[in-house]
Amino acid sequence: MLKAVILIGGPQKGTRFRPLSFEVPKPLFPVAGVPMLQHHIEACAKVPNMKEILLVGFYQPNEELTRFICSAQQEFKILIRYLQEYAALGTGGGIYHFRDQILSGGPEAFFIMNADVCSEFPLPEMLNFQKEHGEPSSFVIMGTTANRKQSMNYGCIVENQQTNEVLHYVEKPSTFVSDIINCGIYLFTPEIFQHIGAVFQKNQQDMLLDEQTNGNGWHRAEAIRLEQDIFTALAGQGKLYVYKTPAFWSQIKSAGSAIYASRLYLNQYHKTHPERLATTEDGGPRISGNVYIHPTANIDPTAVLGPNVSIGTGVTIGAGVRVRESIILHGATLQDHSCVLNCIVGWDSTIGKWARVEGTPSDPNPNDPYAKIDSETLFRDGKLTPSITILGCNVTIPSEVIILNSIVLPHKDLNRSFKNQIIL
Ligand SMILES: Nc1nc2c(ncn2[C@@H]2O[C@H](COP(=O)(O)OP(=O)(O)O[C@H]3O[C@H](CO)[C@@H](O)[C@H](O)[C@@H]3O)[C@@H](O)[C@H]2O)c(=O)[nH]1
């Protein structure tokens, strides 16, 4: 039997996702109409012999997470549990801490997935690849090709081109190492815990030798990174292989990358969930390209939506509204003739009549097949980088104003136009 573990991080992570991560843990942010994590869960639930999905993170148990787990368990008919780390233990420390839970029932292998990636999740292909490569207990990293410059923002893998064995692994190198990058999706056998255990023992010994150690010592020994502490050491040992996926993949770090990820998933819905894609119907709004509309949304038939639009529960969209490349979160109202382009409109926000709310997309270069989305920091050279416009929850935009490339914090009631600003 098989299991899957999804690393969901915790509240200190996801800072590039503010102000949206104030309201909802980042892994539950809706991408193409469903929580980011649901895409991982759907893919796992389809794998034959998958017994359980474990979410490992350091969020305090909260209502949203509990509700999500309950409904996903019912919908996908699979056991899902949340395991809470007592502190951020890193990508290897968390799974090591909960190794007994992961190994209970005797899975022969298990997947580990970063929550903040979007992918076609070619999990059956990874299982086949593992059977065909190396010894039966070899470990598999999913990889993809990036361009030279962007590769350095990821874990970089040098492979043996004949065998696909990982010969070198360097996490976010400062100079070019390889254009094959780590996608944050792995297939391990239980033997991985021997390797993580060895690092833990070493950390513990170092800790005992270190006289400076205070009460924090145990945590320091348990904090282990899969990438730097495990993969770098396993490379070249005949144990670690890279499965290069031809399918789509992207990281979801910033809010801008959530819009891009939505586009990738909406496109995939043609194959996986055509029922989630809206179509132009008599008496309904005009749909252009891929659009998801929650059945509870109320949309005027003269509105024009798409491409790449996701409309959440209970959203109201008035006459003549235009929405493109945006995510509209639940309870928001777009009043008549407003125009929303490259935006995330927060929960329960209102955009007044004839207002224009617009951002600048940060899409990957369309002429470079290996380009990935740049999840840049908010500021460059002391200035706000032009990016998508984000309205936090419960923001009110008055009629007939323009809000351009701005980030508006929750509960703001604006009274004029703004451009390139963070409105606190
Ligand atoms: N449970 C838990 N999860 C964690 C922790 N730290 C990070 N995570 C989760 O692990 C994932 C990776 O997070 P980061 O540590 O922020 O790494 P990164 O910059 O995203 O880079 C990783 O992913 C890239 C692909 O997206 C890889 O290319 C790179 O090598 C690395 O694995 C995220 O889903 C995050 O929520 C932790 O202490 N505990």
Side-chain angles (χ1 to χ4, degrees):
M1 64 117 138
L2 298 166
K3 290 199 185 186
V5 180
I6 308 177
L7 298 171
I8 64 170
Q12 297 108 283
K13 295 258 157 191
T15 47
R16 277 181 278 178
F17 222 72
R18 288 178 186 162
L20 301 164
S21 52
F22 290 153
E23 310 305 323
V24 67
K26 177 179 146 183
L28 296 184
F29 185 81
V31 177
V34 304
M36 197 185 291
L37 264 184
Q38 185 168 321
H39 297 282
H40 299 59
I41 291 175
E42 283 188 27
C44 293
K46 277 192 204 142
V47 176
N49 224 1
M50 180 65 72
K51 280 284 159 335
E52 187 179 38
I53 301 172
L54 300 165
L55 313 180
V56 176
F58 50 98
Y59 287 98
Q60 291 294 335
N62 56 68
E63 206 189 310
E64 284 109 324
L65 195 59
T66 314
R67 220 178 316 123
F68 168 73
I69 292 175
C70 281
S71 77
Q73 289 204 104
Q74 282 171 5
E75 189 172 347
F76 303 106
K77 312 222 164 3
I78 189 155
L79 209 61
I80 306 175
R81 279 191 297 147
Y82 175 50
L83 304 176
Q84 188 195 351
E85 289 158 53
Y86 63 90
L89 295 179
T91 46
I95 59 171
Y96 185 66
H97 186 78
F98 290 114
R99 62 194 179 282
D100 291 346
Q101 306 269 359
I102 297 172
L103 296 182
S104 78
E108 62 259 20
F110 54 92
F111 291 97
I112 302 279
M113 294 182 229
N114 290 357
D116 61 357
V117 296
C118 98
S119 168
E120 215 173 301
F121 297 109
L123 307 182
E125 287 84 343
M126 285 177 80
L127 284 164
N128 286 339
F129 177 90
Q130 191 202 33
K131 287 200 187 88
E132 289 159 12
H133 288 76
E135 41 176 306
S137 68
S138 56
F139 313 127
V140 182
I141 302 183
M142 181 173 127
T144 188
T145 309
N147 66 33
R148 261 184 100 87
K149 185 162 165 266
Q150 290 180 323
S151 66
M152 296 185 284
N153 300 326
Y154 299 88
C156 292
I157 298 166
V158 179
E159 65 162 348
N160 174 328
Q161 290 187 350
Q162 271 79 48
T163 61
N164 303 117
E165 190 201 332
V166 176
L167 299 177
H168 295 287
Y169 182 94
V170 192
E171 182 64 20
K172 306 191 181 97
S174 46
T175 54
F176 177 74
V177 169
S178 165
D179 57 3
I180 304 173
I181 60 164
N182 170 10
C183 294
I185 300 173
Y186 319 112
L187 177 60
F188 291 153
T189 62
E191 209 191 299
I192 194 74
F193 291 123
Q194 291 171 22
H195 299 276
I196 308 180
V199 172
F200 173 64
Q201 300 294 341
K202 161 123 198 348
N203 286 355
Q204 223 179 4
Q205 273 162 15
D206 291 353
M207 187 189 93
L208 291 173
L209 292 174
D210 179 1
E211 287 168 10
Q212 306 296 313
T213 300
N214 45 32
N216 192 18
W218 183 261
H219 174 205
R220 272 177 44 199
E222 267 212 312
I224 299 170
R225 302 155 306 177
L226 272 181
E227 299 84 354
Q228 293 93 329
D229 300 326
I230 308 295
F231 296 155
T232 304
L234 280 178
Q237 308 286 316
K239 294 247 38 134
L240 193 58
Y241 289 79
V242 56
Y243 165 73
K244 284 176 289 172
T245 177
F248 74 83
W249 177 86
S250 178
Q251 230 182 11
I252 314 180
K253 288 289 178 199
S254 60
S257 55
I259 296 188
Y260 178 63
S262 252
R263 185 190 311 159
L264 298 174
Y265 279 135
L266 286 172
N267 205 26
Q268 191 200 23
Y269 284 171
H270 285 282
K271 250 191 332 193
T272 56
H273 288 286
E275 77 288 355
R276 288 188 191 161
L277 291 171
T279 48
T280 307
E281 279 165 22
D282 283 351
R286 183 145 69 81
I287 305 294
S288 149
N290 297 332
V291 173
Y292 167 85
I293 303 177
H294 192 273
T296 56
N298 182 6
I299 301 179
D300 190 278
T302 57
V304 180
L305 312 177
N308 186 21
V309 167
S310 307
I311 310 272
T313 44
V315 166
T316 305
I317 295 191
V321 169
R322 179 74 177 102
V323 188
R324 208 171 67 195
E325 298 286 341
S326 296
I327 297 177
I328 316 295
L329 298 165
H330 74 72
T333 302
L334 313 189
Q335 292 181 349
D336 296 354
H337 307 290
S338 56
C339 177
V340 175
L341 312 174
N342 305 303
C343 286
I344 296 184
V345 177
W347 303 271
D348 300 317
S349 287
T350 302
I351 297 181
K353 290 181 183 168
W354 296 101
R356 182 180 180 98
V357 183
E358 183 171 357
T360 302
S362 39
D363 289 356
N365 176 358
N367 299 318
D368 175 354
Y370 301 124
K372 304 280 172 281
I373 190 154
D374 273 324
S375 297
E376 297 203 43
T377 47
L378 233 41
F379 296 95
R380 199 195 304 140
D381 305 330
K383 286 197 190 133
L384 189 63
T385 332
S387 171
I388 64 155
T389 284
I390 306 171
L391 308 185
C393 85
N394 193 27
V395 164
T396 307
I397 306 287
S399 298
E400 297 178 33
V401 298
I402 300 180
I403 309 293
L404 190 65
N405 297 342
S406 294
I407 297 175
V408 186
L409 267 78
H411 311 292
K412 293 301 295 181
D413 205 346
L414 304 190
N415 55 7
R416 61 177 176 89
S417 296
F418 286 92
K419 185 177 162 191
N420 301 334
Q421 278 193 43
I422 297 184
I423 302 152
L424 299 168

